[in-house]
Amino acid sequence: MRVIIQDNYEKMCLWAARYIAGKIRSHAEERPFVLGLPTGSSPIGVYRELIRMNRAGELSFANVVTFNMDEYLGLPHEHDQSYWYFMHDNFFNHLVDMKPENIHILDGMAEDPEAECRSYEGKIAACGGIDLFLGGIGVDGHIAFNEPFTSLSSRTGVRSLTTDTRIVNSRFFGGDPEKVPEQALSVGVGTVTDAREVLILISGHNKARALAATVEGGVSQRWTCSALQLHNGAIIACDEEACGELTVDTYKYFLDIERGERL
Ligand code: GLP
């Protein structure tokens, strides 16, 4: 696992955006580059920089296919807290050459949610698998909506949200946890770790325990992000604030071996 430590959130996002852009540009195969994407506060700065590059003519999305991680069950596209809405509002609508037919987001209004999830896995496979999965992380270490004790080999399916996650996410629902949907559709931990590369953004004091568990703890379904330790192409991009629970040795080790990556 690589851990890239940057001074602050802005530099973390800049590093991640440049890394993703480099991968898209150097993708030599004829099939499109397949990019997994998250929602949340963490990727906003990455999206901002990718949009800037795209509008400046430095990066094309014409040959990029995207698959989002998750979606709330029961929220229609036009709901301003649906992840469909978030992705279009914060990213897709601003790109000059993203093809709408290349955007994949789980349908929170699907009549048969389990069938929707199975079909999503089929679509990912039909595209040749995900080249790079960008992700964030919950304070309890969840990736996508794979809460603690979700199987580390899980596939796309319906997930129940913990009370903790509903409380954390209530900031987007007028502060009322009861307004946060109880369930979501989410790619599985196994779906994420099947990607050729996984890049997870971890920023801020409130993610410090999760970062330590991801990097230094044992592989455990208690911290679903810890599954990344078994992945051969996993990168954590984080900021100084998130490093508060790492041991000094771990912190110094990654600063040392990744010193060329510091912006
Ligand atoms: C939600 C999403 C996750 C995301 C997490 C952290 O629960 N399902 O994919 O990683 O929030 O969000 P934030 O980046 O806002 O802290």
Side-chain angles (χ1 to χ4, degrees):
M1 175 184 283
R2 296 181 66 190
V3 179
I4 312 290
I5 303 169
Q6 298 293 344
D7 289 341
N8 52 42
Y9 173 78
E10 286 70 28
K11 287 186 179 175
M12 174 193 80
C13 290
L14 205 54
W15 186 91
R18 287 178 186 172
Y19 186 83
I20 294 165
K23 291 288 165 175
I24 294 173
R25 288 192 196 106
S26 62
H27 183 67
E29 293 174 46
E30 265 185 25
R31 65 172 183 83
F33 185 84
V34 185
L35 181 61
L37 294 174
T39 55
S41 322
S42 307
I44 295 266
V46 179
Y47 292 153
R48 203 178 296 135
E49 176 60 10
L50 290 174
I51 291 166
R52 189 204 62 74
M53 291 176 183
N54 178 251
R55 297 185 75 88
E58 298 166 15
L59 176 67
S60 170
F61 278 83
N63 198 34
V64 176
V65 166
T66 64
F67 283 90
N68 259 83
M69 284 190 144
D70 43 19
E71 177 60 284
Y72 287 116
L73 188 63
L75 294 195
H77 291 175
E78 59 276 12
H79 191 291
D80 65 2
Q81 291 309 324
S82 78
Y83 286 170
W84 192 98
Y85 188 99
F86 175 99
M87 288 307 300
H88 286 78
D89 196 34
N90 287 288
F91 192 46
F92 297 132
N93 287 350
H94 306 280
L95 299 173
V96 297
D97 58 356
M98 182 76 209
K99 297 179 185 144
E101 65 271 26
N102 284 352
I103 297 170
H104 300 90
I105 302 176
L106 285 154
D107 181 3
M109 297 300 283
E111 258 179 49
D112 182 344
E114 291 292 358
E116 166 71 5
C117 293
R118 281 193 300 277
S119 141
Y120 205 64
E121 288 274 345
K123 287 178 196 165
I124 293 173
C127 288
I130 292 176
D131 291 300
L132 190 157
F133 224 133
L134 176 68
I137 193 172
V139 289
D140 59 4
H142 70 248
I143 41 176
F145 266 130
N146 296 292
E147 299 280 28
F149 309 109
T150 306
S151 163
L152 300 186
S153 60
S154 53
R155 311 304 308 185
T156 305
V158 178
R159 303 282 189 273
S160 293
L161 274 50
T162 61
T163 300
D164 280 357
T165 294
R166 292 178 74 211
I167 290 171
V168 171
N169 288 4
S170 67
R171 67 191 191 280
F172 301 115
F173 290 83
D176 182 0
E178 288 299 316
K179 291 203 176 118
V180 181
E182 290 175 27
Q183 291 189 303
L185 312 184
S186 173
V187 296
V189 181
T191 320
V192 175
T193 54
D194 271 0
R196 290 170 194 95
E197 285 189 274
V198 183
L199 170 55
I200 300 292
L201 307 166
I202 308 185
S203 161
H205 291 295
N206 62 337
K207 303 285 176 71
R209 276 183 73 215
L211 175 59
T214 306
V215 178
E216 294 179 331
V219 175
S220 160
Q221 59 187 359
R222 167 65 188 83
W223 296 91
T224 52
C225 51
S226 67
L228 295 173
Q229 291 180 22
L230 300 176
H231 195 288
N232 199 25
I235 306 178
I236 307 293
C238 62
D239 60 11
E240 288 281 354
E241 281 190 11
C243 293
E245 297 283 335
L246 292 178
T247 63
V248 174
D249 273 358
T250 304
Y251 174 76
K252 283 184 177 168
Y253 171 80
F254 285 112
L255 274 188
D256 184 23
I257 61 165
E258 301 287 1
R259 58 186 173 279
E261 302 295 336
R262 190 92 169 183
L263 297 181

Short mmCIF file of all heavy atoms in Angstrom, two decimals, residues 9 37-44 69-72 83 86 134-140 142-147 161 165 168-169 171-172 184-186 200-201 203 206-207, ligand 1:
data_model
loop_
_atom_site.label_atom_id
_atom_site.label_comp_id
_atom_site.label_asym_id
_atom_site.label_seq_id
_atom_site.Cartn_x
_atom_site.Cartn_y
_atom_site.Cartn_z
N TYR A 9 -5.78 19.63 2.64
CA TYR A 9 -6.81 19.07 1.75
C TYR A 9 -6.58 19.47 0.29
O TYR A 9 -6.68 18.63 -0.61
CB TYR A 9 -8.20 19.57 2.22
CG TYR A 9 -9.31 19.18 1.29
CD1 TYR A 9 -9.84 17.89 1.29
CD2 TYR A 9 -9.85 20.11 0.39
CE1 TYR A 9 -10.85 17.53 0.41
CE2 TYR A 9 -10.86 19.76 -0.49
CZ TYR A 9 -11.36 18.47 -0.48
OH TYR A 9 -12.36 18.10 -1.36
N LEU A 37 -16.11 6.15 -9.14
CA LEU A 37 -16.17 7.48 -8.51
C LEU A 37 -17.02 7.49 -7.24
O LEU A 37 -18.04 6.81 -7.16
CB LEU A 37 -16.76 8.49 -9.50
CG LEU A 37 -15.92 8.80 -10.74
CD1 LEU A 37 -16.70 9.70 -11.69
CD2 LEU A 37 -14.58 9.43 -10.36
N PRO A 38 -16.63 8.34 -6.29
CA PRO A 38 -17.40 8.50 -5.05
C PRO A 38 -18.14 9.84 -4.99
O PRO A 38 -17.89 10.74 -5.79
CB PRO A 38 -16.30 8.50 -3.99
CG PRO A 38 -15.19 9.28 -4.66
CD PRO A 38 -15.30 9.00 -6.16
N THR A 39 -19.01 9.96 -4.00
CA THR A 39 -19.59 11.26 -3.66
C THR A 39 -18.96 11.71 -2.34
O THR A 39 -17.97 11.15 -1.90
CB THR A 39 -21.12 11.14 -3.51
OG1 THR A 39 -21.37 10.12 -2.55
CG2 THR A 39 -21.78 10.80 -4.83
N GLY A 40 -19.55 12.69 -1.69
CA GLY A 40 -19.05 13.15 -0.39
C GLY A 40 -18.23 14.42 -0.51
O GLY A 40 -17.97 14.93 -1.60
N SER A 41 -17.79 14.92 0.63
CA SER A 41 -17.00 16.15 0.66
C SER A 41 -15.58 15.89 0.16
O SER A 41 -14.97 16.76 -0.47
CB SER A 41 -16.88 16.70 2.09
OG SER A 41 -18.08 16.54 2.78
N SER A 42 -15.06 14.70 0.45
CA SER A 42 -13.65 14.42 0.15
C SER A 42 -13.28 14.63 -1.33
O SER A 42 -12.24 15.22 -1.60
CB SER A 42 -13.28 13.00 0.59
OG SER A 42 -13.62 12.81 1.93
N PRO A 43 -14.06 14.14 -2.29
CA PRO A 43 -13.62 14.26 -3.69
C PRO A 43 -13.88 15.61 -4.35
O PRO A 43 -13.45 15.83 -5.48
CB PRO A 43 -14.42 13.16 -4.40
CG PRO A 43 -15.66 13.02 -3.61
CD PRO A 43 -15.30 13.32 -2.19
N ILE A 44 -14.56 16.53 -3.65
CA ILE A 44 -14.96 17.79 -4.30
C ILE A 44 -13.76 18.52 -4.92
O ILE A 44 -13.81 18.98 -6.07
CB ILE A 44 -15.65 18.73 -3.29
CG1 ILE A 44 -16.96 18.12 -2.81
CG2 ILE A 44 -15.84 20.13 -3.86
CD1 ILE A 44 -18.19 18.52 -3.55
N MET A 69 -20.02 4.72 -6.93
CA MET A 69 -19.98 3.72 -5.86
C MET A 69 -21.35 3.35 -5.31
O MET A 69 -21.61 2.20 -5.01
CB MET A 69 -19.20 4.28 -4.67
CG MET A 69 -17.72 4.30 -4.85
SD MET A 69 -16.93 4.70 -3.29
CE MET A 69 -15.46 3.67 -3.44
N ASP A 70 -22.21 4.37 -5.14
CA ASP A 70 -23.41 4.08 -4.37
C ASP A 70 -24.52 5.09 -4.64
O ASP A 70 -24.31 6.10 -5.31
CB ASP A 70 -23.09 4.03 -2.86
CG ASP A 70 -22.14 5.14 -2.41
OD1 ASP A 70 -22.01 6.15 -3.14
OD2 ASP A 70 -21.54 5.01 -1.34
N GLU A 71 -25.68 4.80 -4.12
CA GLU A 71 -26.84 5.69 -4.26
C GLU A 71 -27.83 5.36 -3.15
O GLU A 71 -27.99 4.20 -2.76
CB GLU A 71 -27.50 5.48 -5.63
CG GLU A 71 -28.77 6.29 -5.89
CD GLU A 71 -28.56 7.81 -5.82
OE1 GLU A 71 -28.45 8.35 -4.70
OE2 GLU A 71 -28.53 8.45 -6.90
N TYR A 72 -28.48 6.39 -2.62
CA TYR A 72 -29.51 6.17 -1.60
C TYR A 72 -30.71 5.46 -2.21
O TYR A 72 -31.14 5.81 -3.32
CB TYR A 72 -29.99 7.51 -1.03
CG TYR A 72 -29.00 8.18 -0.11
CD1 TYR A 72 -28.43 9.40 -0.43
CD2 TYR A 72 -28.65 7.59 1.11
CE1 TYR A 72 -27.54 10.03 0.43
CE2 TYR A 72 -27.76 8.22 1.97
CZ TYR A 72 -27.21 9.43 1.63
OH TYR A 72 -26.33 10.06 2.46
N TYR A 83 -27.26 10.87 -5.07
CA TYR A 83 -25.89 10.90 -5.56
C TYR A 83 -25.86 11.15 -7.07
O TYR A 83 -24.86 11.65 -7.59
CB TYR A 83 -25.16 9.60 -5.16
CG TYR A 83 -24.82 9.56 -3.68
CD1 TYR A 83 -24.34 8.39 -3.09
CD2 TYR A 83 -24.96 10.68 -2.87
CE1 TYR A 83 -24.01 8.36 -1.74
CE2 TYR A 83 -24.63 10.66 -1.52
CZ TYR A 83 -24.15 9.49 -0.97
OH TYR A 83 -23.82 9.46 0.37
N PHE A 86 -25.86 14.88 -7.10
CA PHE A 86 -24.54 15.35 -6.64
C PHE A 86 -23.51 15.24 -7.75
O PHE A 86 -22.74 16.18 -8.01
CB PHE A 86 -24.10 14.51 -5.43
CG PHE A 86 -22.69 14.82 -4.96
CD1 PHE A 86 -22.47 15.66 -3.87
CD2 PHE A 86 -21.57 14.27 -5.60
CE1 PHE A 86 -21.18 15.97 -3.44
CE2 PHE A 86 -20.28 14.57 -5.18
CZ PHE A 86 -20.09 15.42 -4.10
N LEU A 134 -11.68 5.55 -7.46
CA LEU A 134 -11.44 6.63 -6.51
C LEU A 134 -12.48 6.48 -5.41
O LEU A 134 -13.64 6.18 -5.70
CB LEU A 134 -11.60 7.98 -7.21
CG LEU A 134 -11.48 9.23 -6.33
CD1 LEU A 134 -10.05 9.41 -5.83
CD2 LEU A 134 -11.91 10.49 -7.11
N GLY A 135 -12.09 6.69 -4.16
CA GLY A 135 -13.04 6.55 -3.07
C GLY A 135 -12.77 7.52 -1.95
O GLY A 135 -11.71 8.14 -1.87
N GLY A 136 -13.77 7.63 -1.06
CA GLY A 136 -13.58 8.34 0.19
C GLY A 136 -13.69 7.30 1.29
O GLY A 136 -13.64 6.09 1.03
N ILE A 137 -13.87 7.75 2.51
CA ILE A 137 -13.97 6.81 3.62
C ILE A 137 -14.86 7.42 4.70
O ILE A 137 -14.84 8.64 4.90
CB ILE A 137 -12.54 6.50 4.15
CG1 ILE A 137 -12.53 5.30 5.07
CG2 ILE A 137 -11.94 7.71 4.85
CD1 ILE A 137 -11.10 4.87 5.44
N GLY A 138 -15.65 6.60 5.35
CA GLY A 138 -16.47 7.09 6.46
C GLY A 138 -15.63 7.14 7.73
O GLY A 138 -14.55 6.55 7.80
N VAL A 139 -16.13 7.85 8.76
CA VAL A 139 -15.37 7.91 10.01
C VAL A 139 -15.23 6.53 10.64
O VAL A 139 -14.30 6.27 11.39
CB VAL A 139 -15.98 8.91 11.03
CG1 VAL A 139 -15.79 10.34 10.58
CG2 VAL A 139 -17.45 8.62 11.28
N ASP A 140 -16.15 5.63 10.32
CA ASP A 140 -16.05 4.25 10.84
C ASP A 140 -15.31 3.34 9.85
O ASP A 140 -15.36 2.12 9.95
CB ASP A 140 -17.45 3.69 11.13
CG ASP A 140 -18.35 3.68 9.90
OD1 ASP A 140 -17.88 4.03 8.79
OD2 ASP A 140 -19.54 3.33 10.04
N HIS A 142 -15.90 2.93 6.60
CA HIS A 142 -16.64 2.31 5.49
C HIS A 142 -16.18 2.86 4.14
O HIS A 142 -15.86 4.03 4.01
CB HIS A 142 -18.17 2.43 5.67
CG HIS A 142 -18.76 3.80 5.53
ND1 HIS A 142 -19.32 4.49 6.58
CD2 HIS A 142 -18.92 4.60 4.45
CE1 HIS A 142 -19.80 5.64 6.16
NE2 HIS A 142 -19.57 5.74 4.87
N ILE A 143 -16.12 1.96 3.16
CA ILE A 143 -15.90 2.40 1.78
C ILE A 143 -17.18 2.14 1.00
O ILE A 143 -17.82 1.12 1.20
CB ILE A 143 -14.67 1.73 1.08
CG1 ILE A 143 -14.57 0.26 1.39
CG2 ILE A 143 -13.40 2.44 1.44
CD1 ILE A 143 -13.42 -0.41 0.65
N ALA A 144 -17.53 3.08 0.13
CA ALA A 144 -18.87 3.14 -0.47
C ALA A 144 -19.86 3.11 0.71
O ALA A 144 -19.69 3.88 1.65
CB ALA A 144 -19.07 2.02 -1.46
N PHE A 145 -20.86 2.22 0.71
CA PHE A 145 -21.73 2.13 1.90
C PHE A 145 -21.53 0.77 2.57
O PHE A 145 -22.46 0.20 3.12
CB PHE A 145 -23.19 2.37 1.53
CG PHE A 145 -23.63 3.81 1.71
CD1 PHE A 145 -24.29 4.48 0.70
CD2 PHE A 145 -23.39 4.48 2.91
CE1 PHE A 145 -24.69 5.81 0.86
CE2 PHE A 145 -23.79 5.80 3.08
CZ PHE A 145 -24.44 6.47 2.05
N ASN A 146 -20.30 0.30 2.54
CA ASN A 146 -19.99 -0.98 3.19
C ASN A 146 -19.61 -0.71 4.64
O ASN A 146 -18.45 -0.47 4.97
CB ASN A 146 -18.88 -1.70 2.44
CG ASN A 146 -19.32 -2.07 1.04
OD1 ASN A 146 -20.19 -2.91 0.87
ND2 ASN A 146 -18.76 -1.40 0.03
N GLU A 147 -20.65 -0.74 5.48
CA GLU A 147 -20.49 -0.41 6.89
C GLU A 147 -19.68 -1.51 7.59
O GLU A 147 -19.46 -2.59 7.02
CB GLU A 147 -21.89 -0.31 7.53
CG GLU A 147 -22.77 0.77 6.92
CD GLU A 147 -22.46 2.17 7.43
OE1 GLU A 147 -21.30 2.43 7.83
OE2 GLU A 147 -23.38 3.01 7.44
N LEU A 161 -27.89 1.40 6.39
CA LEU A 161 -26.94 2.37 6.95
C LEU A 161 -26.98 2.31 8.48
O LEU A 161 -28.06 2.15 9.06
CB LEU A 161 -27.31 3.79 6.50
CG LEU A 161 -26.76 4.26 5.16
CD1 LEU A 161 -26.99 3.29 4.04
CD2 LEU A 161 -27.35 5.61 4.81
N THR A 165 -23.70 6.51 10.66
CA THR A 165 -23.57 7.08 9.31
C THR A 165 -24.74 8.02 9.02
O THR A 165 -24.55 9.09 8.41
CB THR A 165 -23.50 5.96 8.26
OG1 THR A 165 -22.27 5.25 8.48
CG2 THR A 165 -23.53 6.49 6.85
N VAL A 168 -23.93 11.23 10.75
CA VAL A 168 -22.88 11.98 10.05
C VAL A 168 -23.43 12.61 8.76
O VAL A 168 -23.17 13.77 8.45
CB VAL A 168 -21.67 11.05 9.73
CG1 VAL A 168 -20.67 11.76 8.83
CG2 VAL A 168 -20.98 10.61 11.01
N ASN A 169 -24.22 11.85 8.01
CA ASN A 169 -24.74 12.34 6.73
C ASN A 169 -25.94 13.27 6.88
O ASN A 169 -26.38 13.89 5.90
CB ASN A 169 -25.09 11.16 5.81
CG ASN A 169 -23.83 10.46 5.30
OD1 ASN A 169 -22.72 10.81 5.70
ND2 ASN A 169 -23.99 9.48 4.45
N ARG A 171 -25.98 16.07 7.99
CA ARG A 171 -25.62 17.46 7.69
C ARG A 171 -26.12 17.88 6.31
O ARG A 171 -26.27 19.07 6.04
CB ARG A 171 -24.10 17.67 7.81
CG ARG A 171 -23.25 16.94 6.77
CD ARG A 171 -21.77 17.02 7.18
NE ARG A 171 -20.83 16.59 6.16
CZ ARG A 171 -20.54 15.32 5.88
NH1 ARG A 171 -21.15 14.33 6.53
NH2 ARG A 171 -19.66 15.03 4.94
N PHE A 172 -26.38 16.90 5.45
CA PHE A 172 -26.92 17.23 4.11
C PHE A 172 -28.45 17.16 4.08
O PHE A 172 -29.07 17.39 3.05
CB PHE A 172 -26.37 16.25 3.07
CG PHE A 172 -24.86 16.27 2.98
CD1 PHE A 172 -24.11 15.15 3.34
CD2 PHE A 172 -24.19 17.41 2.56
CE1 PHE A 172 -22.72 15.17 3.27
CE2 PHE A 172 -22.80 17.44 2.49
CZ PHE A 172 -22.07 16.32 2.84
N ALA A 184 -29.24 1.93 1.15
CA ALA A 184 -28.59 2.42 -0.07
C ALA A 184 -28.23 1.23 -0.95
O ALA A 184 -28.18 0.08 -0.48
CB ALA A 184 -27.33 3.20 0.29
N LEU A 185 -27.98 1.52 -2.22
CA LEU A 185 -27.39 0.53 -3.12
C LEU A 185 -25.90 0.85 -3.15
O LEU A 185 -25.53 2.02 -3.26
CB LEU A 185 -27.96 0.64 -4.53
CG LEU A 185 -29.47 0.73 -4.70
CD1 LEU A 185 -29.82 0.74 -6.19
CD2 LEU A 185 -30.14 -0.44 -4.02
N SER A 186 -25.09 -0.17 -3.06
CA SER A 186 -23.65 0.11 -2.99
C SER A 186 -22.84 -0.99 -3.66
O SER A 186 -23.18 -2.17 -3.55
CB SER A 186 -23.23 0.21 -1.51
OG SER A 186 -21.84 0.32 -1.38
N ILE A 200 -7.82 6.05 -2.40
CA ILE A 200 -8.76 6.49 -1.36
C ILE A 200 -8.28 7.81 -0.75
O ILE A 200 -7.11 7.94 -0.37
CB ILE A 200 -8.90 5.42 -0.25
CG1 ILE A 200 -9.42 4.09 -0.83
CG2 ILE A 200 -9.81 5.91 0.88
CD1 ILE A 200 -10.84 4.10 -1.32
N LEU A 201 -9.20 8.78 -0.65
CA LEU A 201 -8.90 10.09 -0.08
C LEU A 201 -9.29 10.10 1.39
O LEU A 201 -10.43 9.75 1.73
CB LEU A 201 -9.72 11.17 -0.80
CG LEU A 201 -9.62 11.19 -2.33
CD1 LEU A 201 -10.74 12.07 -2.91
CD2 LEU A 201 -8.25 11.70 -2.75
N SER A 203 -9.13 12.72 4.64
CA SER A 203 -8.78 14.09 5.02
C SER A 203 -9.45 14.48 6.34
O SER A 203 -10.61 14.16 6.59
CB SER A 203 -9.27 15.02 3.90
OG SER A 203 -9.38 16.33 4.34
N ASN A 206 -11.26 14.07 11.85
CA ASN A 206 -12.30 13.08 12.15
C ASN A 206 -12.09 11.74 11.41
O ASN A 206 -12.77 10.77 11.70
CB ASN A 206 -13.71 13.64 11.84
CG ASN A 206 -13.90 13.98 10.39
OD1 ASN A 206 -12.92 14.22 9.67
ND2 ASN A 206 -15.13 14.02 9.93
N LYS A 207 -11.13 11.71 10.49
CA LYS A 207 -10.85 10.45 9.78
C LYS A 207 -9.55 9.79 10.30
O LYS A 207 -9.10 8.79 9.74
CB LYS A 207 -10.72 10.70 8.28
CG LYS A 207 -11.93 11.37 7.62
CD LYS A 207 -13.07 10.40 7.43
CE LYS A 207 -14.32 11.07 6.87
NZ LYS A 207 -14.20 11.47 5.48
C1 GLP B 1 -20.79 8.48 2.47
C2 GLP B 1 -20.47 7.75 1.15
C3 GLP B 1 -19.04 7.29 1.10
C4 GLP B 1 -18.11 8.43 1.49
C5 GLP B 1 -18.42 8.84 2.90
C6 GLP B 1 -17.49 9.94 3.42
O1 GLP B 1 -21.16 7.63 3.47
N1 GLP B 1 -21.32 6.64 0.92
O2 GLP B 1 -18.74 6.84 -0.22
O3 GLP B 1 -16.77 8.01 1.37
O4 GLP B 1 -19.74 9.32 2.94
O5 GLP B 1 -17.92 11.19 2.99
P1 GLP B 1 -17.11 12.52 3.16
O6 GLP B 1 -16.09 12.52 2.08
O7 GLP B 1 -18.14 13.60 2.98
O8 GLP B 1 -16.51 12.52 4.52
#
